[in-house]
Amino acid sequence: MPAMSGGLPGFHNAPVSRAVVVAAVLFSVPFGFRGRFLDLGLSYQSIYENLRIWRVIASQFAFSSTPELIFGVALLYYFRVFERQIGSNKYAVFIAFSMTVSVLLQILALAYLQDPSFNPLTSGPYGLIFASFVPFFFDIPISTKFRIFGLRLCDKSFIYLAGLQLLFSSGRRSVIPGLSGILAGLLYRLNIFGIRRLKVPDCATSIFSRLSWPWPNISYQRLPISSTDENIPRRQAHQMEDEHTTTLDPMESSIATLVSMGFDRASAVQALALTNNDVNLASNILLEAQ
């Protein structure tokens, strides 16, 4: 699956991801206008001395700055591909697990370090974002490789660079939430306590599906060929359809790319035909089918 595409456009089949992105924006913007970003981050004083538990929830959604909001939302938008792979029911469990474990690790780190330079930790859904880098590393294959100024890169490199930018955006204050998220992702992948078998009820995820604002669910379909001129002869219309079908026949190189990713040839041909020979979208359709 190419790293930069993230699957079908929009939040089609990803209602939980859409809810997280909307929550991040809604939490970040109001607090940003009030200049209270730094007040939301977890700190030793707020957790262990003042017992401000409300910060635990607020710090999980509100980003600490506008650049972090931009990079964070972009990564959350891309990682919606995992919801399409495992389903909204299991992805909701992944979100709850990664955020909860990440918060606990951050609180333990504050108690162990007790270093004023770490207070407050940067806020935002770092636990979910960096936990998602674990399946991104293990499960997303590389589709293209290239060189820039002598450096060997791949299509996944841009996602890693965005993650590094977010990880070091606030210095040491953002490193701890990022590392906590990675550890949470590793624990989920190790299936600790059988967490990967759990899933929320369908009625819970259906609530997110009904919340279409501000991105409605738009199904991805290829538009059929139609003639606006009713005077075109039927034979000529069939010829136009045949020519259109011929131009959409997948190239052998595209088929070979999908086959090398582990898909069978017949499925690859069918997926390429449905996506106008777009390898990016075809690979995502095949993964969703699995």
Side-chain angles (χ1 to χ4, degrees), residues 6-159:
L8 302 179
F11 287 97
H12 179 66
N13 290 337
V16 179
S17 298
R18 178 182 56 205
V20 173
V21 171
V22 171
V25 174
L26 293 180
F27 270 81
S28 300
V29 173
F31 283 104
F33 288 153
R34 293 188 176 186
R36 296 180 57 190
F37 274 134
L38 294 178
D39 294 337
L40 291 179
L42 299 179
S43 64
Y44 182 85
Q45 291 77 12
S46 63
I47 298 300
Y48 290 96
E49 296 180 1
N50 301 327
L51 298 178
R52 297 178 179 176
I53 306 301
W54 63 269
R55 289 196 179 190
V56 175
I57 300 176
S59 65
Q60 294 305 296
F61 292 98
F63 285 97
S64 300
S65 65
T66 302
E68 293 178 12
L69 174 63
I70 295 174
F71 280 96
V73 168
L75 288 172
L76 288 173
Y77 178 76
Y78 169 75
F79 288 141
R80 75 199 188 286
V81 68
F82 298 125
E83 180 177 357
R84 294 171 175 172
Q85 288 183 5
I86 65 177
S88 299
N89 305 68
K90 289 188 176 182
Y91 189 69
V93 175
F94 172 76
I95 291 177
F97 178 84
S98 59
M99 284 189 167
T100 302
V101 173
S102 175
V103 168
L104 293 177
L105 292 175
Q106 292 177 52
I107 293 175
L108 292 176
L110 289 173
Y112 177 77
L113 297 173
Q114 297 187 16
D115 189 345
S117 62
F118 287 97
N119 293 327
L121 297 177
T122 187
S123 60
Y126 277 67
L128 173 59
I129 292 174
F130 286 94
S132 300
F133 273 99
V134 176
F136 175 75
F137 176 80
F138 288 104
D139 300 335
I140 304 298
I142 297 174
S143 61
T144 57
K145 296 181 180 180
F146 50 89
R147 286 180 176 270
I148 297 180
F149 301 114
L151 297 176
R152 298 185 61 182
L153 302 175
C154 65
D155 53 342
K156 297 176 64 174
S157 301
F158 298 101
I159 302 297

Side-chain angles (χ1 to χ4, degrees), residues 193-267:
F193 304 124
I195 187 65
R196 298 180 66 176
R197 295 195 300 268
L198 300 180
K199 59 182 181 179
V200 300
D202 293 334
C203 58
T205 56
S206 63
I207 297 176
F208 297 104
S209 301
R210 297 190 184 99
L211 299 176
S212 60
W213 184 87
W215 293 286
N217 287 325
I218 301 175
S219 60
Y220 179 82
Q221 294 180 348
R222 187 181 62 179
L223 296 177
I225 303 175
S226 61
S227 174
T228 58
D229 189 356
E230 297 180 355
N231 296 325
I232 296 179
R234 184 174 299 239
R235 176 181 294 181
Q236 185 175 353
H238 284 301
Q239 290 178 353
M240 292 174 61
E241 292 180 0
D242 294 339
E243 292 176 359
H244 185 75
T245 304
T246 302
T247 58
L248 290 179
D249 285 342
M251 298 174 58
E252 286 298 325
S253 59
S254 300
I255 299 175
T257 300
L258 294 175
V259 172
S260 65
M261 296 169 63
F263 304 113
D264 62 272
R265 181 181 177 86
S267 299

